[in-house]
Amino acid sequence: KRGIGDNIAKKFQLGYCASDGDTLAKDALRNGYRRELLVKTGLCYEKDNGELRDRFWGRVIFPWHSISGRVIGFGGRLLDGRTKGVAQKYVNSPESEVFVKHKELYGLYQAKGAIVKKDCVYMVEGYTDVLAMHQCGIENVVANSGTALSVEQIRLLRRFTTNITLIYDGDEAGLKASVRG
């Protein structure tokens, strides 16, 4: 529905987690992955009854890449038609030794070359904002995945440019965050 092409989906390694709730868990265990590893990485969680469930079931998956390109975490979003009245439209990997959300920027790995070349970066709120801009040929764009711009994120960007333009949503939260940023 958002018009994201196959080339952008491949560039950002987008995926989808089946909606039955335990496909990943069952397949991973069947292929020799340890239960503890699946829980520690945040890909799965244990219910009170001990059942192993997929954290991102029924969601489009947005991998977070480190600056060197390694996958360090995930964000998952329900498809548009299923978001009305849902408490958790987005689910993110829990913080870990390798993924601390407020220290990372979504899309930085894919954008860093363009940021250096243009000597500026556009900061947007979310995953699909980054994808849409890349789809239009604007590649010097990252997201802080929300509106809480951190000092760590600014320091990360300073490695590439000191010119940061915030382009947040026009809602109240976005406008307040733009002024705060």
Side-chain angles (χ1 to χ4, degrees), residues 102-121:
H102 76 271
K103 292 184 177 182
E104 302 295 337
L105 290 162
Y106 180 77
L108 182 59
Y109 173 68
Q110 294 86 351
K112 62 186 180 180
I115 294 169
V116 169
K117 185 176 179 182
K118 302 275 186 182
D119 189 27
C120 74
V121 63

Side-chain angles (χ1 to χ4, degrees), residues 2 8 11 15 25 48 65-66 99 104 106-108 110-111 117 132 137 144 162 165 167-168 180:
R2 302 239 178 166
I8 299 299
K11 180 178 186 178
D48 291 338
H65 296 87
S66 69
F99 181 66
E104 302 295 337
Y106 180 77
L108 182 59
Q110 294 86 351
K117 185 176 179 182
N144 62 328
T162 57
T165 301
I167 306 176
Y168 289 153
R180 200 172 49 245

